Amino acid sequence: MTEGEDAMSLLPARKKYYWVWFLWLAAFYSTWAWLNFGLGGWADAVAHWPIAAAMAMGSYVAGSTPMGGGTVGFPVLVLFFEMPATLGRDFSFAVQSIGMTSATIFILARRQPLAWSLLKGAMVGSLMGTPFGIFFVAPFIPELWIKVIFAVVWASFGILHFYRINEIAGHSGMTEFDERWDFRLGVKLGLGAGATVAAVTGVGIDMVVYAALVLLTRADLKIAIPTSVVIMAFTSVLGVAVKAVGPGMQPGVYENWLAAAPVVALGAPLGVFVVELIGRKPTLLFVAVLCVGQFVWTCVAERAALGVGGIALALAGVVAFLWGFEKLRAWGAVLVGEREEAATTKTAAPEKLAAEKA
């Protein structure tokens, strides 16, 4: 078990490198200005101002929770503006490639603690899984079920936080089992989530990694959430790159991106900073309400297409995810118990030997 917050507070403060983040901002805004005023994109950016307004909140969510900016961007475009679900997915990749990347650079510049072994493994897994999912999984998922999958995954995370928030928010430090074990777990998580939920909805791999960290390793939110932000940034940039050389982005993504990108470039890092002032628990509960709300909205809006059977299947999906979370938590309890028992035995052995010699 790593040292808790009290012990960590005794360590000297890490040197921060904010100039790296400011350099990134300068490069991004220079490029964005060239796209708008040099290549004539300004009219499109202004015409799509509603998505920029929505992403002001979405970007805060992206930086302060384990749920990417697509948590807001996807339902706004798909449910509110009635755009195709494939557009919502591709927009999630595109807008997070700026917002989550900006938050990641901010996190690294501040030298915040991350679950590095698991994160590296998740990146390797995502590098394989996300392209596979984009080419061989996502094209075969109907529009309606892209919406439903998004709604089910997010609703389950929302409900999880309603009844486990005190436990999740109470973790300190992180149980480290073995670097190789953490890395292998990360590979499996990145491969599975990249090929499925991330490829289909444009988000979600961050929440899968976060769930493993808080339920399995009992990680502090100050470790789990920044780690989830970094893996979502990596997967979003990867998703955009794969789309660029493969099937291409859906029409309308670029125009919405032009409007929202300058907002999320600042909003996501702001979420990283502000959440430390107001606390993560209130933010997580607020986002949990949004997650459950969008599930209800989806079921009501699509009730004719889903029918009673489809809605029942969606509810069963939420229950299945919650069951999976509880199994993960139970497995974590066993692993943590075994780790603590091994540590106690290792500590007690020299004392017992000394007593026998005496």
Side-chain angles (χ1 to χ4, degrees):
M1 182 77 71
T2 60
E3 296 296 329
E5 289 185 22
D6 291 339
M8 285 170 31
S9 66
L10 300 176
L11 298 175
R14 289 182 168 190
K15 184 178 180 180
K16 297 174 174 57
Y17 298 91
Y18 288 116
W19 65 268
V20 176
W21 181 64
F22 285 116
L23 187 63
W24 143 259
L25 286 181
F28 164 72
Y29 281 111
S30 297
T31 303
W32 180 81
W34 174 68
L35 292 173
N36 279 275
F37 305 111
L39 299 183
W42 179 245
D44 288 327
V46 172
H48 291 81
W49 69 265
I51 190 62
M55 289 311 299
M57 180 176 68
S59 58
Y60 173 78
V61 168
S64 61
T65 74
M67 303 164 192
T71 302
V72 173
F74 185 98
V76 166
L77 284 174
V78 176
L79 299 179
F80 191 76
F81 294 131
E82 299 183 343
M83 297 290 184
T86 49
L87 170 60
R89 175 192 61 215
D90 289 359
F91 174 75
S92 294
F93 273 140
V95 78
Q96 288 167 171
S97 69
I98 299 301
M100 303 293 267
T101 296
S102 188
T104 293
I105 295 171
F106 188 72
I107 287 167
L108 296 176
R110 299 181 76 204
R111 302 182 70 188
Q112 292 183 229
L114 299 170
W116 279 109
S117 296
L118 192 145
L119 175 60
K120 292 174 184 176
M123 286 179 171
V124 172
S126 177
L127 191 61
M128 297 182 287
T130 302
F132 177 85
I134 288 174
F135 284 110
F136 302 109
V137 178
F140 302 101
I141 306 297
E143 284 273 336
L144 175 61
W145 287 99
I146 294 176
K147 299 178 187 179
V148 173
I149 291 170
F150 180 94
V152 165
V153 174
W154 270 250
S156 63
F157 266 81
I159 295 172
L160 171 70
H161 284 87
F162 280 138
Y163 71 90
R164 291 290 183 202
I165 187 62
N166 289 328
E167 177 183 319
I168 290 172
H171 297 323
S172 177
M174 174 181 168
T175 304
E176 298 181 51
F177 301 112
D178 178 87
E179 285 191 4
R180 289 172 296 179
W181 189 92
D182 290 345
F183 180 84
R184 289 195 298 269
L185 174 63
V187 171
K188 293 175 183 177
L189 294 173
L191 182 63
T196 55
V197 64
V200 172
T201 69
V203 282
I205 192 172
D206 46 351
M207 292 192 292
V208 171
V209 168
Y210 165 85
L213 285 170
V214 298
L215 298 176
L216 194 59
T217 71
R218 305 300 199 261
D220 192 318
L221 289 178
K222 293 181 179 179
I223 298 173
I225 291 179
T227 301
S228 73
V229 169
V230 176
I231 187 59
M232 192 68 254
F234 176 84
T235 302
S236 296
V237 172
L238 176 62
V240 170
V242 171
K243 288 276 184 178
V245 300
M249 289 286 187
Q250 291 293 312
V253 169
Y254 178 68
E255 292 79 6
N256 282 289
W257 178 88
L258 272 181
V263 175
V264 301
L266 283 176
L270 183 65
V272 174
F273 179 75
V274 173
V275 75
E276 293 190 0
L277 303 179
I278 67 174
R280 299 180 186 274
K281 185 175 176 181
T283 300
L284 284 170
L285 287 174
F286 171 70
V287 175
V289 172
L290 295 180
C291 289
V292 175
Q294 61 81 31
F295 176 80
V296 174
W297 189 355
T298 300
C299 289
V300 171
E302 302 294 341
R303 63 188 181 279
L306 287 171
V308 175
I311 293 175
L313 187 60
L315 290 170
V318 173
V319 172
F321 266 96
L322 292 174
W323 177 83
F325 292 147
E326 289 305 306
K327 294 295 287 185
L328 193 63
R329 177 176 173 271
W331 183 29
V334 172
L335 292 175
V336 170
E338 291 176 352
R339 177 71 172 176
E340 291 177 345
E341 182 179 351
T344 301
T345 303
K346 186 177 180 179
T347 303
E351 295 177 356
K352 181 179 179 181
L353 181 62
E356 290 174 353
K357 288 182 178 180

